[in-house]
Amino acid sequence: MQELQRVADGRAPFLPDYPPWNRLTAPSVSDLLDAATMISLTRGDDAGAGLGIVISGALAVERELSDGRRILCALFHEGDLVDLRRTERARQGDLIALKESEFLALDESRAEICTSEHADVARAFIVQLGDHLARMRDHATDLAFKTPFESLASVLFEFRRWPGADSGNPGGSTVRIPIPRGDVADYIGVKPETVSRAIRRLERERLIGIPEQDQVFLADIPSMRRLANGGRPRQSTRRS
Amino acid sequence: MQELQRVADGRAPFLPDYPPWNRLTAPSVSDLLDAATMISLTRGDDAGAGLGIVISGALAVERELSDGRRILCALFHEGDLVDLRRTERARQGDLIALKESEFLALDESRAEICTSEHADVARAFIVQLGDHLARMRDHATDLAFKTPFESLASVLFEFRRWPGADSGNPGGSTVRIPIPRGDVADYIGVKPETVSRAIRRLERERLIGIPEQDQVFLADIPSMRRLANGGRPRQSTRRS
DNA sequence: CGACTTCTTGAGGAACGTCAACCGCAGTGG
DNA sequence: CCACTGCGGTTGACGTTCCTCAAGAAGTCG
């Protein structure tokens, strides 16, 4: 029994301590964990499963285009339910780890039984899927924005909502960028060079500061919010 | 009672005759319809509800950016479950009709009770949400593609999957474009002029034909598939 | 220390957005 | 019956932007 082993490890709280997972009743948790297998991943690893819960780290749905371009069309963080079951298309993409991660893979058929037998599990799934849809709509909006500055500003706010992103700063004006620049670029649909240039320009304009490589200080949150919502600062509209 | 009235209208099959809706048991359907209100919409109307099922027509989540740009970040067609409940962001956008549509709005709290009491309804919701997530991932990939030709090819295949899109052509090589050009443009993140130019170029290259304004004949489906999957035909790579 | 990856910076060109005008059509009212 | 109006779609010229290609800087791991 995998979960018993885990409990013996002293890592008893198998499911994330976030809603909706910490709202489940004990029998539901038990049944869900019966269908679960913990997988440890390092950067680049394929999770090899289409259903599960991210325990730590960062995963993404990666798609390699026929001409070599790479796209990360969805990001998943700690506590996220990953559901790639509805796969009518041929190229659904692979679920890969962007860093050291732990993934609680769920057996599809047993998980399905679990959702039909436990209303709270079904509810948790619906809540999670609805959450992800909202994020995907935001992301689609970012991509349609087209200007890297807006996409970047928006994705910074997205990262700010990641669990643990605001650890150590109460006001939340420091954001950790949890994945490398190249992955950010693949996520917002631009090239790494463009991400670099965009960051440097935001820095020049005093909207953000980069104390460390993977940290961003939001110096002017209202302006950044405006930017993320479409107040596009094209060349002509630099200061205004 | 709204549904009794409808039944009296002779329009008894209230839910779409597609999976997963036609798989529900009678009591589930009855409970679900108790929470439902049918709304008739014309182009531009706001549905005014964040949860429901599209009975006919086409709806979209529209977002107006602060500088006037307009983005359709999700499309919904006949039989789709629309769930905008997870709205942590301020600007979630509006659910609007792109054409004459009928929308079966569901009361949120009563629908929630319904999903918790009927496992098959919960399952239908999960299936639908998972389906939409897959579509959103595809869409995000399209948008990240960046070249309008690829996005357009991809969106044509998306339209081909719409119910009724292949009515009258067995092979499915004719696709109906169910929404105006401008909406297509807002959906794939480009300008109407670019959509027009992309269509004309695909036509010039004999990949598609445009018998009517709202119809596309896929003359070379394999090539279009390649295009949609990222075999990008930039200026230099015209024939190869 | 050296090979590697990640990030950055620069110069040049292709591509899409912008602006403007035009076409065809439907609805409207004189 | 026909001019007027508005809307959706198309076409063209032009400019900004971002991708491409290339090289260098900085940090990491062997």
Side-chain angles (χ1 to χ4, degrees), chain A residues 27-221:
Chain A
S28 298
V29 171
S30 168
D31 262 24
L32 199 56
L33 291 183
D34 274 346
T37 314
M38 184 69 93
I39 304 175
S40 290
L41 304 161
T42 62
R43 177 169 172 80
D45 284 353
D46 193 316
L51 184 65
I53 300 169
V54 180
I55 303 301
S56 69
L59 302 191
V61 176
E62 179 188 49
R63 292 180 175 182
E64 190 88 32
L65 268 47
S66 41
D67 61 355
R69 280 173 295 173
R70 173 175 176 262
I71 287 163
L72 302 179
C73 54
L75 294 184
F76 300 97
H77 59 69
E78 190 176 338
D80 276 345
L81 173 70
V82 180
D83 185 352
L84 308 182
R85 284 177 293 181
R86 305 275 117 211
T87 296
E88 48 173 287
R89 279 73 157 183
R91 287 201 48 74
Q92 170 67 15
D94 303 319
L95 181 65
I96 61 155
L98 299 179
K99 60 198 315 190
E100 305 292 318
S101 306
E102 286 179 308
F103 184 61
L104 190 66
L106 295 170
D107 177 74
E108 296 192 7
S109 53
R110 295 172 73 184
E112 173 136 6
I113 294 171
C114 189
T115 53
S116 65
E117 286 181 350
H118 300 282
D120 58 343
V121 175
R123 192 182 125 72
F125 272 49
I126 292 174
V127 166
Q128 271 285 313
L129 294 175
D131 240 6
H132 282 264
L133 273 171
R135 266 155 59 180
M136 289 300 287
R137 283 191 292 266
D138 282 350
H139 184 47
T141 309
D142 292 347
L143 291 171
F145 274 7
K146 302 296 275 198
T147 93
F149 302 94
E150 296 159 345
S151 302
L152 185 62
S154 193
V155 87
L156 287 180
F157 284 110
E158 180 172 346
F159 288 149
R160 194 160 77 138
R161 285 189 291 267
W162 282 41
D166 56 350
S167 58
N169 64 110
S173 52
T174 298
V175 177
R176 228 174 61 78
I177 303 183
I179 57 178
R181 296 277 196 283
D183 290 342
V184 174
D186 290 337
Y187 184 55
I188 63 178
V190 298
K191 294 290 156 185
E193 298 95 316
T194 307
V195 170
S196 178
R197 279 185 254 264
I199 288 179
R200 242 187 57 79
R201 184 172 142 195
L202 292 176
E203 200 179 5
R204 258 205 324 265
E205 298 182 3
R206 310 282 178 211
L207 291 177
I208 63 173
I210 309 289
E212 305 208 19
Q213 190 71 270
D214 65 342
Q215 284 196 343
V216 175
F217 172 70
L218 302 175
D220 187 349
I221 293 185

Side-chain angles (χ1 to χ4, degrees), chain B:
Chain B
M1 285 290 150
Q2 178 82 358
E3 61 272 20
L4 290 183
Q5 196 178 341
R6 285 287 172 181
V7 171
D9 285 359
R11 303 171 63 185
F14 218 57
L15 287 178
D17 193 19
Y18 296 100
W21 309 118
N22 59 2
R23 304 282 182 82
L24 298 181
T25 62
S28 298
V29 171
S30 167
D31 263 24
L32 198 56
L33 292 183
D34 273 346
T37 313
M38 184 69 93
I39 303 175
S40 289
L41 304 161
T42 62
R43 178 169 173 81
D45 283 354
D46 192 316
L51 183 66
I53 300 169
V54 181
I55 302 301
S56 69
L59 303 191
V61 176
E62 178 188 49
R63 292 181 176 182
E64 190 89 31
L65 268 46
S66 41
D67 61 354
R69 281 172 295 173
R70 174 175 176 262
I71 289 164
L72 302 179
C73 54
L75 294 184
F76 300 97
H77 64 248
E78 189 177 338
D80 277 344
L81 173 70
V82 179
D83 185 354
L84 307 182
R85 283 178 293 181
R86 305 276 118 210
T87 296
E88 47 172 291
R89 280 70 154 187
R91 287 201 50 73
Q92 170 66 16
D94 301 319
L95 180 66
I96 60 155
L98 299 179
K99 59 197 318 190
E100 305 290 317
S101 306
E102 285 179 308
F103 183 61
L104 191 65
L106 294 171
D107 177 74
E108 296 193 6
S109 53
R110 296 171 74 182
E112 173 136 6
I113 295 171
C114 188
T115 54
S116 64
E117 287 180 350
H118 300 281
D120 58 343
V121 174
R123 194 183 125 70
F125 271 49
I126 291 173
V127 166
Q128 270 285 315
L129 294 176
D131 240 7
H132 283 267
L133 273 172
R135 266 154 60 180
M136 288 301 286
R137 283 191 293 267
D138 282 351
H139 185 47
T141 309
D142 291 348
L143 291 171
F145 274 6
K146 303 295 277 196
T147 93
F149 303 94
E150 297 160 344
S151 303
L152 185 62
S154 192
V155 87
L156 287 181
F157 284 110
E158 179 172 347
F159 288 149
R160 195 161 76 139
R161 285 189 292 267
W162 282 42
D166 56 350
S167 58
N169 63 110
S173 52
T174 298
V175 176
R176 227 174 61 78
I177 302 182
I179 57 179
R181 297 277 195 282
D183 289 342
V184 174
D186 290 337
Y187 184 54
I188 64 178
V190 297
K191 293 291 155 186
E193 296 95 318
T194 307
V195 170
S196 178
R197 279 185 253 262
I199 289 179
R200 241 187 56 81
R201 185 171 141 195
L202 291 176
E203 200 179 7
R204 257 203 327 263
E205 297 181 5
R206 310 281 178 210
L207 292 177
I208 62 173
I210 309 288
E212 304 209 19
Q213 190 70 271
D214 65 342
Q215 285 198 342
V216 175
F217 172 70
L218 302 175
D220 186 348
I221 293 185
S223 292
M224 287 292 284
R225 267 256 119 86
R226 241 190 326 271
L227 231 182
N229 283 357
R232 85 183 115 174
R234 295 193 104 110
Q235 182 169 301
S236 43
T237 325
R238 251 220 280 172
R239 72 192 54 205
S240 156

